[in-house]
Amino acid sequence: MEDQSLVAVGAEQQSLHVSNSDSAIVVANQAISSYSLAIGQEFPDVETCRRTLKDIAIALHFDLRIVKSDRSRFIAKCSKEGCPWRIHVAKCPGVPTFSIRTLQGDHTCEGFHNIHHQQASVGWVARSVEARIRDNPQYKPKEILQVIQEEHGVVVSYMQAWRGKERTMAALHGTFEEGYRLLPAYCDQIRKTNPGSIASVFASGQDNCFQRLFISFRACIYGFINGCRPLLEIDRVHLKGKYLGALLCAAAVDADDSLFPLAVAVVDMETDDNWMWFMSELRKLLGVNTENMPRLTILSERQKGMVEAVETHFPNACHGFCLRYISENFRDTFKNCKLVNIFWNAVYSLTAVEFEAKISEMVEISQDVMQWFQHFPPQLWAVAYFEGVRYGHFNIGITEILYQWALDCHELPILQMMEHIRDQITSWSHQRREMAMRWTNILVPSAEKRILEAISDARCYQVLRANEVEFEIVSTERTNIVDIRNRICSCRRWQLYGVPCAHAAAALISCSHNAHLFAEVCFTVASYREAYSQLINPIPDKGLWMESGEGTLTDGGGAKADITIHPPKIRRPPGRPKRKSLRVENFKRPKRVVQCGRCHLLGHSQKKCTMPSLQNKWLFSVDGMHIEEGGSSHPIWTEF
């Protein structure tokens, strides 16, 4: 070998055939042409040198044996006996770089004929999939195994893939422990960049273990008070990350029926005390504004702790059930399709008379319905009896969003999870703000559609005017009374949905009024624009945050920036977590009742009918002849 010569290391595409007890595995490697080493080649540090040689050894399928590795030199050779390949890298004097001093010979060995390469360590796996995990944090270890084998022809264990992903996630997003430690500084940054926002973190115990986190941006507070309906959805989802907990959320509904997140909280576990704390923070958030707002309506699944918290902090609010929760409970209790369809008709009955008629139909099918109503009073969910105004919004939509947030952030520390939620809320606000600027009508599109349908239906009604504000609307079905001053119709649809019904539209058109002007102000384009008029300002990178600040742990438990918060003591148990599938139904249209074509009963089809068919019965003839069971026997013939 000549010392001045350039030694190039390359290899064409190789195929490695490995046999096991079941079948042969064929591994194909891509052509390698970019790996080259030369005397005098420099590396920024010894670690970069190690990584480069490890990548070359894996790519060219030879095993690397390290002879010497310290702060000043790195010596390695091929592990095959008799192979002359050897490299010597030493530190350059006066600078931190390393350079190749000697590079001896080419490989004379046949290479490494084993799919389990010793150089394929956890660190190498982490570097190999870093770009993929950066783009998709949900990248699974099983997918890492497949990619490593396809691209490098190397098989690693599942544990190596899992640990490689954990190491990459920690490098990209920080560790779970670091996420909790930075929460006080993160809350400080929210309050500094978004004045008027509420951001507080609470710790418990002498160890300052994480207990609670509450965040609500000023833009969301302003938008709810000035542009949304007086309606709140409250729900939670359990987190399945390294440290368990629960994600709580309170969301409003904007003018166009889209969800408007108001406040988000993370707690160490779902308890009655944490629900009481969450509702108290909501009460502080709204403050004196609740006195000027219409009566608040709250929808939830009405867990015990949540009910007590709402009654304590929002005693005047109407707290109702989510219809999804009610319907699933009713369906799982009775398991009768006909009963479920009548139940839905009862839910949407506008008057008490219609509701009671549907109840009578259900009682005829099952007497147990009345006992179920004792556990779930109709005053908490039925349209005819519920005192609050839901504006046609009967089930909780925030549940799907919470489950999606928990799924997207399953592998992320708490700090990155909150940043993901903030980014999504900011993106929604920007998109809806841009969309609202293109609208030219008085009402938002969803309300505009309902008002046009009401105007179209109003043409078939006869209008009799009683006085300046009261009208009698006559149709073939019934007669309704409309009061346009108080915005009341005897059918109750105007009061319940906030948009003039067909009867009200007929009365308004008869006296040359614009029906669009008689919808609730929360359905106007102006309210929609006001809801998204405020901006959520960005938060600087955590590298720019001040690591230490002034202050200590406050009396209320809110932690300042100089308090080190440790993770909660409750960790995820070993094993694969159970996945809960969320059933999302169409709540406006009841399911079709299946009727059997054999026994004519409801609830099953002919294929699943347990009644025996006619072919399995005894059939008798007029002359005493018979066909035996199954129809396989021959009839008895007689001579005349």
Side-chain angles (χ1 to χ4, degrees):
M1 181 198 70
E2 297 181 3
D3 293 340
Q4 304 299 327
S5 63
L6 179 66
V7 182
V9 183
E12 298 298 327
Q13 184 173 0
Q14 303 177 23
S15 296
L16 181 62
H17 301 269
V18 181
S19 301
N20 56 16
S21 58
D22 296 331
S23 60
I25 303 174
V26 180
V27 182
N29 294 329
Q30 295 180 350
I32 303 169
S33 58
S34 60
Y35 293 111
S36 62
L37 296 173
I39 295 176
Q41 182 176 343
E42 294 187 353
F43 303 96
D45 48 49
V46 69
E47 184 62 29
T48 304
C49 175
R50 291 195 192 101
R51 292 177 180 178
T52 302
L53 292 175
K54 183 177 293 188
D55 292 341
I56 292 176
I58 294 174
L60 302 182
H61 295 282
F62 71 89
D63 195 9
L64 189 70
R65 179 174 296 177
I66 299 176
V67 178
K68 191 73 174 180
S69 179
D70 54 30
R71 296 180 179 180
S72 60
R73 54 183 172 173
F74 178 82
I75 303 174
K77 67 176 184 177
C78 180
S79 63
K80 291 289 185 177
E81 292 293 336
C83 183
W85 189 90
R86 183 183 180 93
I87 188 171
H88 178 197
V89 183
K91 186 177 183 298
C92 299
V95 292
T97 59
F98 283 70
S99 64
I100 298 178
R101 300 299 175 85
T102 59
L103 184 61
Q104 298 179 2
D106 295 331
H107 285 281
T108 59
C109 60
E110 297 179 355
F112 189 74
H113 297 283
N114 193 335
I115 58 176
H116 300 282
H117 204 291
Q118 290 185 352
Q119 304 302 324
S121 61
V122 172
W124 177 81
V125 172
R127 295 193 305 273
S128 300
V129 297
E130 180 179 353
R132 297 176 184 270
I133 294 178
R134 182 187 293 109
D135 298 334
N136 179 21
Q138 301 299 322
Y139 212 60
K140 298 179 180 180
K142 186 177 180 180
E143 297 172 325
I144 294 176
L145 295 175
Q146 183 178 358
V147 169
I148 292 293
Q149 185 170 2
E150 291 178 353
E151 294 185 355
H152 303 280
V154 175
V155 174
V156 297
S157 66
Y158 183 90
M159 187 56 65
Q160 280 182 297
W162 183 83
R163 288 175 177 169
K165 179 183 177 181
E166 289 290 302
R167 187 173 297 186
T168 303
M169 292 292 292
L172 293 175
H173 306 289
T175 63
F176 283 84
E177 293 74 17
E178 182 187 22
Y180 288 104
R181 181 175 60 83
L182 292 175
L183 282 179
Y186 179 67
C187 292
D188 283 347
Q189 292 298 319
I190 291 178
R191 292 190 293 266
K192 289 178 182 178
T193 57
N194 294 268
S197 301
I198 298 176
S200 56
V201 60
F202 299 83
S204 63
Q206 297 180 352
D207 298 335
N208 289 336
C209 292
F210 171 81
Q211 186 183 18
R212 299 161 178 164
L213 171 69
F214 185 91
I215 293 177
S216 180
F217 294 95
R218 179 188 176 276
C220 299
I221 301 173
Y222 179 88
F224 171 66
I225 295 173
N226 295 279
C228 293
R229 315 172 197 181
L231 173 69
L232 278 180
E233 298 181 5
I234 300 176
D235 204 357
R236 83 284 179 261
V237 64
H238 294 285
L239 301 175
K240 302 296 183 181
K242 181 177 180 180
Y243 297 97
L244 301 180
L247 179 64
L248 315 181
C249 184
V253 182
D254 65 20
D256 202 36
D257 291 330
S258 297
L259 287 175
F260 188 90
L262 174 61
V264 179
V266 180
V267 294
D268 54 353
M269 64 179 67
E270 184 186 6
T271 62
D272 294 350
D273 291 339
N274 281 335
W275 274 120
M276 191 69 70
W277 163 81
F278 181 70
M279 297 308 299
S280 68
E281 293 295 315
L282 276 182
R283 177 68 183 184
K284 296 175 187 177
L285 177 150
L286 298 177
V288 296
N289 296 295
T290 54
E291 304 297 333
N292 303 324
M293 291 173 54
R295 188 179 183 184
L296 189 64
T297 299
I298 297 176
L299 298 181
S300 71
E301 294 183 1
R302 288 184 60 93
Q303 297 95 334
K304 180 181 177 182
M306 187 187 300
V307 171
E308 295 176 356
V310 171
E311 291 176 353
T312 301
H313 297 285
F314 294 91
N316 297 324
C318 296
H319 189 190
F321 273 112
C322 165
L323 283 191
R324 175 189 292 118
Y325 175 77
I326 285 290
S327 66
E328 289 182 354
N329 187 286
F330 188 88
R331 180 182 56 198
D332 295 341
T333 301
F334 295 100
K335 297 180 175 63
N336 187 311
C337 294
K338 184 177 181 181
L339 203 59
V340 170
N341 278 269
I342 300 175
F343 170 79
W344 277 114
N345 292 330
V347 167
Y348 291 111
S349 297
L350 298 177
T351 62
V353 175
E354 296 175 358
F355 181 84
E356 295 299 333
K358 297 300 178 183
I359 296 299
S360 300
E361 293 183 27
M362 288 190 284
V363 171
E364 292 179 359
I365 299 175
S366 175
Q367 295 290 335
D368 297 333
V369 171
M370 299 307 299
Q371 185 178 359
W372 186 87
F373 283 155
Q374 294 178 1
H375 292 89
F376 301 95
Q379 292 80 6
L380 300 177
W381 49 269
V383 174
Y385 289 109
F386 186 69
E387 295 182 1
V389 181
R390 291 176 286 189
Y391 302 98
H393 198 81
F394 299 112
N395 49 65
I396 298 177
I398 193 62
T399 305
E400 289 88 347
I401 295 178
L402 284 175
Y403 271 86
Q404 190 61 47
W405 283 346
L407 181 63
D408 294 341
C409 305
H410 171 67
E411 304 288 347
L412 299 178
I414 185 172
L415 189 65
Q416 277 65 38
M417 179 179 70
M418 301 310 298
E419 276 293 276
H420 174 82
I421 295 174
R422 183 188 65 85
D423 290 342
Q424 195 160 65
I425 295 176
T426 303
S427 177
W428 288 342
S429 299
H430 175 73
Q431 294 173 4
R432 295 169 186 175
R433 189 183 305 112
E434 295 292 326
M435 179 175 59
M437 297 307 297
R438 298 191 295 268
W439 292 344
T440 57
N441 295 326
I442 298 175
L443 303 179
V444 295
S446 59
E448 180 75 17
K449 180 180 178 181
R450 289 197 292 268
I451 201 74
L452 293 178
E453 291 176 353
I455 293 173
S456 177
D457 296 338
R459 298 172 182 173
C460 60
Y461 294 147
Q462 180 183 0
V463 181
L464 303 177
R465 187 166 187 172
N467 50 51
E468 293 183 357
V469 296
E470 292 184 337
F471 297 82
E472 184 176 357
I473 311 301
V474 181
S475 65
T476 56
E477 299 177 354
R478 55 180 295 178
T479 300
N480 291 277
I481 307 300
V482 175
D483 185 343
I484 62 174
R485 176 183 295 170
N486 298 316
R487 301 187 178 188
I488 294 174
C489 179
S490 58
C491 76
R492 300 186 68 242
R493 189 175 296 273
W494 194 357
Q495 301 93 291
L496 293 174
Y497 291 88
V499 177
C501 60
H503 312 117
L508 293 169
I509 293 173
S510 68
C511 56
S512 302
H513 283 301
N514 187 351
H516 295 76
L517 300 177
F518 285 80
E520 293 292 335
V521 67
C522 60
F523 291 104
T524 61
V525 173
S527 294
Y528 189 90
R529 291 173 178 171
E530 192 69 16
Y532 297 103
S533 61
Q534 303 296 311
L535 301 177
I536 299 178
N537 298 322
I539 296 177
D541 184 79
K542 63 183 179 181
L544 303 176
W545 301 352
M546 184 172 57
E547 287 293 334
S548 62
E550 296 79 14
T552 58
L553 195 68
T554 62
D555 295 337
K560 295 292 184 179
D562 63 341
I563 297 298
T564 301
I565 294 185
H566 299 284
K569 296 182 179 180
I570 303 176
R571 292 191 58 173
R572 179 178 58 197
R576 186 180 298 277
K578 295 181 179 179
R579 298 185 63 182
K580 178 182 178 182
S581 58
L582 187 66
R583 293 184 292 187
V584 181
E585 299 179 346
N586 186 350
F587 296 97
K588 297 183 179 180
R589 181 181 300 174
K591 289 185 176 180
R592 181 176 63 89
V593 179
V594 180
Q595 185 176 18
C596 178
R598 181 181 302 166
C599 65
H600 302 292
L601 295 179
L602 300 176
H604 65 273
S605 62
Q606 186 174 355
K607 292 182 179 180
K608 297 182 180 181
C609 184
T610 57
M611 178 180 290
S613 62
L614 293 178
Q615 295 180 354
N616 296 328
K617 292 184 178 181
W618 287 92
L619 302 179
F620 297 91
S621 67
V622 177
D623 297 327
M625 296 184 296
H626 68 277
I627 303 176
E628 295 181 358
E629 185 178 0
S632 58
S633 299
H634 298 285
I636 302 175
W637 296 94
T638 57
E639 296 182 358
F640 294 95

